[in-house]
Amino acid sequence: MSTVMITGCSSGFGLETARLFLARGWDVVATMRTPDAELLPASDRLRVLALDITDADSIARAIEQAGPLDALVNNAGFGAPVPVELTPMDTARALFETNTLGTLAMTQAVLPQLRERGAGVIVNVTSSVTLKALPLVGVYSASKAAVNAFTQSLAIEVEPFGVRVRLVLPGRSPTTRFGANAGVHLGGLEHPDYGPMVQGILAGFRDTSGPVTEAQDVAEAVWRAVTDPGTPLRTPAGKDAEEWMREAG
Ligand SMILES: NC(=O)c1ccc[n+]([C@@H]2O[C@H](COP(=O)([O-])OP(=O)(O)OC[C@H]3O[C@@H](n4cnc5c(N)ncnc54)[C@H](OP(=O)(O)O)[C@@H]3O)[C@@H](O)[C@H]2O)c1
């Protein structure tokens, strides 16, 4: 029996990924800042643990409670749709604190047991916006591109120890809570110069008429990255992300 720990399971991609691993017979440690076991189907293979990836004590507690792991999925993260010029430094720091350093801290916390056992997988969920420059996501994209960068080095470093490291790059998904949560950090809507651009981009983000990414696309991409040693370092998730990956080459 294999055990996966997934961060950010209270909604969206993390919740769907936890459901999929449970349905396919894995033991799942679903972590959330505010644990709510009722979000997932009852199972003796499910444990729901409290975890804030920006808090070192919270990380240490969750890793200890989880016990031996075969896979870690670093999914927790948030966005902030705001022009670079208008991004408050507190927002920029928070983006890096969660998306980049939180992911790094979780990776460092789980890696020793995988390396010592000579087996295991770490999947970092970043974003397809790192493949193509878009307005309003400059600092968010930088926080995710930084994860891509250290993950690529890490993959080479730990491959000799039998540990696989992979990236999953989801496309735009207006159906998760991501957009609503990102709204907390929305900026520039009323700005005389940036306002019309911000309004247009927001409408585009919420538009579901074109190709978008569903939570199931991400769950399936994470599943492949964890279970299939043949997957490449980067797996796009969602039709839009696949298209962008082809364009990026
Ligand atoms: N939706 C998109 O368009 C999109 C596209 C590309 C990539 N992504 C990335 O995919 C991942 C999942 O996004 P989603 O769309 O599923 O968004 P979501 O529905 O907002 O879920 C994000 C999850 O991350 C958790 N989280 C945020 N900060 C955390 C922290 N400090 N510690 C622990 N958990 C934390 C949230 O927990 P709380 O409930 O406690 O806030 C929530 O469970 C994120 O890394 C996001 O950047 C999203």
Side-chain angles (χ1 to χ4, degrees):
M1 191 59 65
S2 299
T3 304
V4 61
M5 175 185 266
I6 305 165
T7 67
C9 289
S10 68
S11 70
F13 302 160
L15 184 58
E16 196 58 36
T17 303
R19 284 199 188 112
L20 187 135
F21 275 80
L22 272 178
R24 294 186 183 169
W26 277 55
D27 284 1
V28 173
V29 182
T31 70
M32 309 174 188
R33 282 192 285 194
T34 309
D36 181 355
E38 303 208 338
L39 291 171
L40 284 154
S43 166
D44 56 7
R45 290 183 286 101
L46 169 68
R47 272 173 302 157
V48 175
L49 298 181
L51 171 62
D52 180 337
I53 63 166
T54 64
D55 177 339
D57 292 339
S58 173
I59 292 176
R61 256 194 318 274
I63 301 292
E64 195 187 327
Q65 287 169 9
L69 298 171
D70 300 288
L72 167 69
V73 179
N74 279 312
N75 161 77
F78 76 96
V82 48
V84 171
E85 182 186 341
L86 306 181
T87 305
M89 286 310 290
D90 283 351
T91 302
R93 285 195 190 91
L95 281 167
F96 276 87
E97 199 60 51
T98 299
N99 296 351
T100 314
L101 300 179
T103 299
L104 176 62
M106 284 302 299
T107 300
Q108 289 180 339
V110 171
L111 198 46
Q113 56 168 297
L114 306 185
R115 178 174 43 73
E116 281 159 22
R117 222 179 303 133
V121 190
I122 296 177
V123 175
N124 290 337
V125 176
T126 61
S127 173
S128 62
V129 296
T130 59
L131 297 169
K132 181 166 161 176
L134 285 182
L136 294 204
V137 292
V139 181
Y140 168 74
S141 182
S143 73
K144 292 290 194 178
V147 175
N148 290 351
F150 79 68
T151 303
Q152 289 173 49
S153 289
L154 179 68
I156 301 167
E157 289 167 1
V158 299
E159 198 263 330
F161 309 132
V163 179
R164 284 193 300 116
V165 182
R166 294 289 184 268
L167 287 162
V168 166
L169 286 70
R172 176 175 63 92
S173 187
T175 53
T176 70
R177 257 189 10 218
F178 183 80
N181 286 345
V184 175
H185 301 283
L186 172 67
L189 208 50
E190 309 298 331
H191 192 277
D193 293 330
Y194 289 110
M197 181 199 297
V198 174
Q199 275 170 24
I201 300 290
L202 278 185
F205 181 82
R206 291 177 185 138
D207 179 18
T208 50
S209 58
V212 293
T213 297
E214 303 294 343
Q216 291 88 333
D217 298 329
V218 180
E220 288 287 355
V222 171
W223 172 262
R224 286 197 304 278
V226 169
T227 59
D228 177 0
T231 50
L233 174 70
R234 298 183 309 170
T235 302
K239 285 200 169 52
D240 51 344
E242 284 166 11
E243 212 171 288
W244 287 17
M245 184 73 93
R246 273 193 299 275
E247 282 170 20

